[in-house]
């Protein structure tokens, strides 16, 4: 997830581009860059936030340009890897949002044709690809180049001597802002609202040519498209959250595309490069904090089922002070920020103890990525809300991929089984979308239960950690005291606290523990506690046991944590909203915990 802007008109492009770009900084902020067409193509980029670029860049003359703020997914967040990218002769510049999944093949072919690359990114291939197609107009070159690209993208391209921006998209947002005698391009309306509220939304596969007084849209077969502009009613603050009242809600809704992006290029074929081609492991240890620890607990079930490798999970701050010298040949450190101090310290300790280390992280180039042997990046994009949502779900995706990889190495997973898993992973965005479509139902439940002081969350097997995560989300943002338990543990203590004032959220999907869950639900109902169950669609039996049921689409139980947690995220969000809590910035906690 990155931010793109473009300007063409009578005014100086540079200050307009920087101002627009700053409104997209929430989409990515590890590096930024700008290209302006003047007497020559002027291009400047820098590592760090947009203010760093602004402080360093020279004055640029010209009234046509593009700019970009980056959230690294391919290649570290360095100046070299920042956008825009130029071609070999510095005649054109491009910016990109998305992931080019076939970039390695394209790069090899372009290199063989003599193109010289300056970065590790997937994006740079597009600059050279357009260059290689540049006979005649820029529009035609972009059309031909984009036909060779696989993956997701929004591209904007300018060329020296031209008077136009050519842009195109597939599964990444792209909008044209219409001004008077000037026009704008952006990945997000947020960037443009200061200048115009008249927008043309570009559809997948379309290519658009934008000059100061014209916009021409062509569909994927090259036919002209007529489209009426739309008026946007947002104010600037609303728009930064994409129209959502809170970042947390926006991030919950981004989960289908975050899952999709996290799979992209990784499950296209069974021959995809394995994470560890050189090793097999007799056991695995996962170390993490908070929500990432809960992802690790789910990961234990996943790895044990798919790869048949015994797996233990430990909280980072406990692991780092433990005394076992070499316990696990493979240590998996899960951390969305990549900066959590306890997890960093655990990574160092693990290496000192001679373990192979792999980090699952969301922030490219973050501290932990320099401490470990291997990194699996989640591709959730920046998460602004303190409550981890889309990063949790993409951590689960990374753990499914890791387990599949270990299973293939261990020969516990046949090609057929892996194909079936890939099919399940690909269906997850749809399963999550189904839950999001039930938001109003979940909101109504939150209205019913928001007065509770305590809430219990119970689950079994792979959904036991999901119960823990549901409880953490609830306490973190709604300040309701939420406790998660393995349902079988209730009778060993917590039942003493169950009463009509403590609703119980029970995850009761149809797996081998289902009957036991129904028993647990009966136990708490008998003590007067209202029960909100989460079960599979079509399970009419469950409704006889619970006061309310949130139904999710039936999928194999091992994959159910993904849609189940989305239902619980929405539930905690609406509980917090009903209680008037500061959802994105809950009291006393920070997004990144860099202290002991
Ligand atoms: O950045 P990390 O994943 O290492 O963060 C770990 C925890 O601080 C974090 O998951 C925390 O529990 C979340 N804010 C909960 O929503």
């Amino acid at each position: 997830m990155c931010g793109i802007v473009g300007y063409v008109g009578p005014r100086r492009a540079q200050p307009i581009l920087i101002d627009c770009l700053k409104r997209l900084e929430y989409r990515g902020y590890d590096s930024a860059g700008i290209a302006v067409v003047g007497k020559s193509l002027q291009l400047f980029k820098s590592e760090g936030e947009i203010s760093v670029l602004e402080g360093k860049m020279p004055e640029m003359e010209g009234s046509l340009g593009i700019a970009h703020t980056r959230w690294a997914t391919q290649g570290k967040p360095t100046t070299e890897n920042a956008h825009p990218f130029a071609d070999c002769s510095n005649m054109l510049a491009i910016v990109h949002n998305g992931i080019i999944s076939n970039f390695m093949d394209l790069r090899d072919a372009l290199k063989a044709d003599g193109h010289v690359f300056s970065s590790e990114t997937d994006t740079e291939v597009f600059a050279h690809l357009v260059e290689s197609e540049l006979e005649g107009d820029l529009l035609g070159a972009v059309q031909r180049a984009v036909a060779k690209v696989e993956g997701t993208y929004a591209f904007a391209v300018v060329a020296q001597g031209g008077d136009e921006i050519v842009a195109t998209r597939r599964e990444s947002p792209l909008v044209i802002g219409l001004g008077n005698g000037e026009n704008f391009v952006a990945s997000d309306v947020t960037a443009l609202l200061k200048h115009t509220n008249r927008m043309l939304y570009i559809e997948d596969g379309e290519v658009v040519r934008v000059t100061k007084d014209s916009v021409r849209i062509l569909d994927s077969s090259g036919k002209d498209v007529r489209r009426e502009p739309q008026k946007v009613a947002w104010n600037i603050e609303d728009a930064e959250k994409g129209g959502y009242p809170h970042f947390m809600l926006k991030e919950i809704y981004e989960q289908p595309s975050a899952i999709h992006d996290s799979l992209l290029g990784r499950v296209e074929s069974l021959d995809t490069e394995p994470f560890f081609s050189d090793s097999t492991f007799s056991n695995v240890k996962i170390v993490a904090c908070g929500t990432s620890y809960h992802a690790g607990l789910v990961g234990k079930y996943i790895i044990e089922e798919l790869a048949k490798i015994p797996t233990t999970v430990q909280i980072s701050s406990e692991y780092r002070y433990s005394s076992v010298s070499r316990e696990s040949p493979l240590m998996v450190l899960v951390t969305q920020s990549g900066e959590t101090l306890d997890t960093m310290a655990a990574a160092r300790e693990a290496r000192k103890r001679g373990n192979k280390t792999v980090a699952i992280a969301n922030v490219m180039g973050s501290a932990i990525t320099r401490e470990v042997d291997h990194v699996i990046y989640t591709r959730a994009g920046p998460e602004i809300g303190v409550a981890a949502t889309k990063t949790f779900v993409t951590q689960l995706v990374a753990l499914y991929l890791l387990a599949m990889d270990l299973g293939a190495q261990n020969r516990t997973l046949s090609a057929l089984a892996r194909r079936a898993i890939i099919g399940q992973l690909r269906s997850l965005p749809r399963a999550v979308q189904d839950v999001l479509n039930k938001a109003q139902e979940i909101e109504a439940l939150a209205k019913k239960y928001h007065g509770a002081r305590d809430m219990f969350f119970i689950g079994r097997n792979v959904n036991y950690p999901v119960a823990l995560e549901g409880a953490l989300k609830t306490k973190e943002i709604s300040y309701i005291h939420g406790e998660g338990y393995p349902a079988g543990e209730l009778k060993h203590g917590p039942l003493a606290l169950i009463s009509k004032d403590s609703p119980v959220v029970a995850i009761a999907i149809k797996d081998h523990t289902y009957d036991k869950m129904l028993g647990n639900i009966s136990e708490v109902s008998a003590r007067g506690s209202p029960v909100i169950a989460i079960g599979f669609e079509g399970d009419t039996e469950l409704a006889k046991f619970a006061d309310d049921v949130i139904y999710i689409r039936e999928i194999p139980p091992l994959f159910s944590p993904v849609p189940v947690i989305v239902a619980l995220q929405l539930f905690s969000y609406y509980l917090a909203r009903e209680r008037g809590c500061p959802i994105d910035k809950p009291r006393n906690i920070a997004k990144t915990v860099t202290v002991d």
Side-chain angles (χ1 to χ4, degrees):
M1 195 164 148
C2 305
I4 289 175
V5 293
Y7 173 77
V8 53
R11 297 189 275 163
R12 253 188 83 219
Q14 186 178 26
I16 297 171
L17 289 171
I18 294 297
D19 183 59
C20 291
L21 202 59
K22 281 184 182 163
R23 300 182 195 287
L24 292 183
E25 196 151 30
Y26 73 92
R27 292 180 66 95
Y29 36 73
D30 57 38
S31 54
I34 179 168
V36 173
V37 174
K39 287 197 183 103
S40 62
L41 183 71
Q42 306 143 83
L43 194 153
F44 194 85
K45 41 199 199 176
S46 166
E47 199 172 318
E49 296 180 1
I50 298 165
S51 56
V52 178
L53 172 80
E54 202 178 9
K56 288 200 223 163
M57 66 187 180
E59 293 263 302
M60 295 174 171
E61 289 309 323
S63 53
L64 165 66
I66 51 178
H68 189 267
T69 180
R70 179 168 186 248
W71 177 264
T73 52
Q74 179 66 51
K76 294 190 186 73
T78 58
T79 301
E80 295 73 46
N81 292 340
H83 305 200
F85 284 100
D87 63 332
C88 296
S89 49
N90 214 33
M91 287 302 286
L92 59 89
I94 68 134
V95 287
H96 170 220
N97 186 5
I99 299 164
I100 303 178
S101 51
N102 63 336
F103 84 97
M104 288 211 211
D105 294 344
L106 292 173
R107 189 169 58 188
D108 290 348
L110 287 159
K111 274 188 176 169
D113 283 347
H115 289 263
V116 180
F117 283 75
S118 61
S119 78
E120 306 163 328
T121 63
D122 54 338
T123 299
E124 193 183 356
V125 296
F126 195 67
H128 296 278
L129 209 52
V130 177
E131 179 184 25
S132 69
E133 297 289 345
L134 201 54
E135 281 161 22
D137 65 334
L138 185 62
L139 180 71
V142 171
Q143 281 174 312
R144 288 187 291 279
V146 87
K148 298 184 177 168
V149 169
E150 288 166 20
T152 59
Y153 51 77
F155 290 113
V157 187
V158 291
Q160 182 54 30
D163 63 349
E164 73 214 309
I165 303 169
V166 177
T168 181
R169 63 156 276 190
R170 187 200 287 158
E171 292 179 35
S172 262
L174 182 68
V175 65
I176 310 301
L178 304 177
N180 287 327
E182 59 184 3
N183 287 316
F184 305 81
V185 172
S187 50
D188 200 318
V189 288
T190 319
L192 308 181
L193 285 174
K194 188 173 163 192
H195 301 280
T196 179
N197 63 357
R198 285 197 313 135
M199 306 290 169
L200 276 172
Y201 292 91
I202 304 305
E203 304 283 342
D204 269 359
E206 290 176 345
V207 182
V208 56
R209 177 176 184 268
V210 185
T211 67
K212 68 183 173 45
D213 38 33
S214 72
V215 176
R216 184 178 179 204
I217 305 174
L218 298 170
D219 69 13
S220 53
S221 62
K223 285 205 198 87
D224 278 289
V225 176
R226 281 188 61 80
R227 182 163 302 141
E228 287 304 312
Q230 292 183 28
K231 261 199 174 160
V232 176
W234 287 341
N235 63 38
I236 287 181
E237 202 185 88
D238 286 343
E240 277 180 356
K241 296 184 185 126
Y244 292 95
H246 298 98
F247 279 111
M248 181 181 175
L249 191 63
K250 172 175 174 282
E251 287 155 5
I252 290 174
Y253 273 83
E254 282 170 351
Q255 292 180 112
S257 68
I259 296 170
H260 172 89
D261 288 353
S262 298
L263 292 172
L264 204 72
R266 290 172 169 166
V267 292
E268 266 66 24
S269 83
L270 288 175
D271 311 323
T272 310
E273 183 114 337
F275 295 126
F276 303 105
S277 46
D278 53 340
S279 338
T280 54
F281 302 98
S282 58
N283 63 76
V284 173
K285 184 167 198 105
I286 304 176
V287 174
C289 305
T291 291
S292 298
Y293 170 70
H294 296 152
L297 288 174
V298 179
K300 169 185 165 66
Y301 290 91
I302 300 172
I303 294 171
E304 290 185 346
E305 181 155 337
L306 299 184
K308 309 284 180 242
I309 302 177
T311 301
T312 51
V313 192
Q314 200 168 10
I315 289 189
S316 311
S317 54
E318 290 300 311
Y319 169 78
R320 65 183 280 209
Y321 299 115
S322 63
S323 53
V324 181
S325 60
R326 187 178 193 283
E327 60 220 300
S328 177
L330 179 62
M331 295 284 299
V332 183
L333 300 121
V334 187
T335 164
Q336 66 80 22
S337 63
E339 306 283 343
T340 301
L341 189 86
D342 281 323
T343 309
M344 286 284 296
R348 283 191 203 115
E349 191 57 34
R351 286 194 81 179
K352 212 160 78 195
R353 294 176 187 183
N355 303 304
K356 186 134 186 154
T357 51
V358 56
I360 295 178
N362 192 46
V363 183
M364 190 160 273
S366 54
I368 200 146
T369 66
R370 297 189 287 274
E371 297 285 346
V372 292
D373 301 307
H374 189 84
V375 186
I376 304 172
Y377 283 107
T378 53
R379 295 173 183 152
E383 191 175 67
I384 312 288
V386 165
T389 52
K390 60 179 180 167
T391 53
F392 174 76
V393 158
T394 53
Q395 284 168 349
L396 297 189
V397 170
L399 287 160
Y400 289 115
L401 292 171
L402 176 63
M404 210 165 68
D405 196 53
L406 294 172
Q409 294 302 313
N410 266 11
R411 300 186 191 286
T412 51
L413 269 183
S414 66
L416 198 67
R418 280 187 292 148
R419 213 175 298 271
I421 295 164
I422 289 173
Q424 289 306 328
L425 292 174
R426 285 202 174 123
S427 73
L428 287 177
R430 188 65 246 160
V432 169
Q433 190 56 51
D434 283 354
V435 179
L436 297 176
N437 295 346
K438 297 198 167 195
Q440 277 188 340
E441 244 175 72
I442 298 172
E443 183 180 6
L445 290 178
K447 284 191 170 146
K448 183 169 166 188
Y449 292 107
H450 76 273
R453 204 189 59 181
D454 306 297
M455 253 185 213
F456 292 88
F457 293 74
I458 56 173
R460 282 175 180 260
N461 200 253
V462 71
N463 278 307
Y464 147 54
V466 183
L468 296 183
E469 175 59 9
L472 176 63
K473 285 289 88 86
T474 298
K475 71 176 82 135
E476 184 182 21
I477 60 163
S478 75
Y479 309 156
I480 293 174
H481 167 236
E483 283 301 326
Y485 282 101
E489 274 294 291
L490 282 181
K491 54 189 169 297
H492 299 289
L495 265 187
L497 292 173
I498 297 293
S499 74
K500 65 175 178 25
D501 301 321
S502 54
V504 173
V505 177
I507 307 168
I509 56 140
K510 283 221 165 171
D511 64 3
H512 59 294
T513 67
Y514 177 72
D515 290 342
K516 297 282 170 202
M517 275 307 299
L518 290 186
N520 296 129
I521 292 175
S522 301
E523 267 167 13
V524 295
S525 291
R527 284 156 183 87
S529 172
V531 175
I532 306 141
I534 301 182
F536 283 151
E537 265 157 22
D539 182 0
T540 46
E541 187 66 10
L542 189 55
K544 296 181 196 153
F545 284 74
D547 296 77
D548 294 285
V549 185
I550 303 171
Y551 284 112
I552 62 166
R553 165 202 286 240
E554 181 160 2
I555 56 173
L558 191 65
F559 298 88
S560 63
V562 173
V564 170
I565 193 57
V566 176
L568 293 179
Q569 291 166 352
L570 282 171
F571 185 55
S572 63
Y573 171 82
Y574 288 119
L575 286 173
R577 204 201 56 191
E578 288 305 309
R579 293 164 67 93
C581 298
I583 293 176
D584 285 334
K585 290 187 179 148
R587 68 185 175 214
N588 304 338
I589 40 184
K591 183 74 187 158
T592 306
V593 185
T594 51
V595 289
D596 277 305

